[in-house]
Amino acid sequence: MKALLLENIHPDAVRLLEDAGLEVTQHRSALSEADLADALPGVALLGIRSKTRLTAAVLAGATDLLAVGAFCIGTDQIDLATASALGVAVFNAPYSNTRSVVELTLAEIIALTRRLTEKDRGMHSGVWDKSATGAHEVRGRTLGIVGYGNIGAQLSVVAEALGLRVVFYDTADKLALGNARRCVSLDELLEVSDVVSLHVDGRPSNSSLFGEKEFSLMRPGALFLNLCRGFVVDHEALRRHLLSGHVAGAAVDVFPDEPRSAGEEFASVLRGMPNVILTPHIGGSTEEAQADIGMFVGTKLSDFLADGGSSLSVNLPQLALPPASGSHRLAHIHSNVPGVMAEINSVLAAHGVNVEAQLLSTRGEVGYALTDIGIDYPDEVVEQLREMSATIRLRVLS
Ligand SMILES: NC(=O)c1ccc[n+]([C@@H]2O[C@H](COP(=O)([O-])OP(=O)(O)OC[C@H]3O[C@@H](n4cnc5c(N)ncnc54)[C@H](O)[C@@H]3O)[C@@H](O)[C@H]2O)c1
């Protein structure tokens, strides 16, 4: 089987797929829609990052494609609905850069609390200022985490280890880790926090979640960090509160409008402000995270090929059945309509084929069944299963 990897995927992933028996072709950059369509016939696995757009038209022409690995966090670049309808599994790496974001957040909390940016700038321009005014320890200060998901929860644990008190607010029910305390509202969190750090997801309703009202409710002299999504924060309002001194400092990694390429100028009303750390969306950008993404997504792809496992798939129903020796596995992706399992099992029963293990999962309009059967079965079994009107894709794995 062939794998096509675009956008300079980590060498660990290449090795992993080659060890799994795939013939791997690599390109350093993304391909245009037309070039990608030309390259995909004969390709079973496609690996991309954020710059390759996988459209409905390209997917429709890629009849040999079984799975796509997004070697990144986001999957907005892939037409997921079409991938599901065609039975193409999509995997990403939702947790691989969690720790990297947490470490940058903590580094920035300490840097802002000690006003390191100002001391650094002073030293580079020849100013020796040993004053302690405005510099604090983080120990004993209260960190308010908005969004207690993968990143927020890990930040909570590591921040407590540094002696910060942690409060959090999340719209979903979340287990409070360690000594963290849940706030019933965002307002309550803003009232008690010395540092406010945003870690919500990118759902559309979070647009402008944090603006004039929220900055006004922050404690005077508190710090503000956003390493989640640019559109969540009103930067004009942040600038006003920084200028007035109500917000003592800020670290911002994500912006409503980010340059598309390295040559494009970065424009922001936050440029040039004192005690403001601006970073170019690098929260998750570490070599460790890149290596982890390579191994994580590479393993998901090779498991899907070998035993049909789809756990943590972004689009297909999630299934995991331990590999069984001495049997064949039917991996059947189908339309989620009544009677499919009865039809599969009646085809097997009609040919005297015993089912040794079977699992079904559904997600929206798609169903996925893994069925382990003995190795001796007539060819018509596979033909008849393939001909079922609900069948989207059938693979026989041994
Ligand atoms: N800066 C970077 O390079 C970088 C890297 C990785 C992730 N991120 C971003 O960080 C964010 C968090 O990632 P994650 O993996 O922890 O996501 P996650 O989905 O695990 O957690 C998000 C949490 O936010 C909560 N939430 C959503 N809307 C909310 C609201 N209005 N108020 C309170 N809680 C709300 C959700 O219930 C969830 O618990 C995402 O937006 C992600 O895109 C940025």
Side-chain angles (χ1 to χ4, degrees), residues 124-197:
H124 282 284
S125 53
V127 178
W128 181 265
D129 170 16
K130 264 177 69 66
S131 128
T133 309
H136 299 276
E137 293 183 350
V138 293
R139 179 174 50 167
R141 301 200 140 226
T142 300
L143 167 64
I145 300 174
V146 184
Y148 205 66
N150 299 318
I151 293 173
Q154 174 139 183
L155 174 63
S156 168
V157 172
V158 188
E160 278 198 342
L162 282 174
L164 282 143
R165 268 197 297 263
V166 175
V167 296
F168 70 89
Y169 169 65
D170 198 297
T171 42
D173 283 334
K174 294 284 169 174
L175 172 69
L177 301 176
N179 298 315
R181 182 175 69 78
R182 181 187 186 120
C183 295
V184 294
S185 67
L186 181 56
D187 291 6
E188 182 193 342
L189 177 141
L190 299 176
E191 206 172 292
V192 298
S193 300
D194 301 304
V195 181
V196 174
S197 194

Side-chain angles (χ1 to χ4, degrees), residues 21 55 89 92 113 132 144 146-148 157 169 177 236 340 358 390:
T55 60
N92 69 341
T113 308
V146 184
Y148 205 66
V157 172
Y169 169 65
L177 301 176
E236 293 283 357
V340 175
Q358 190 168 53

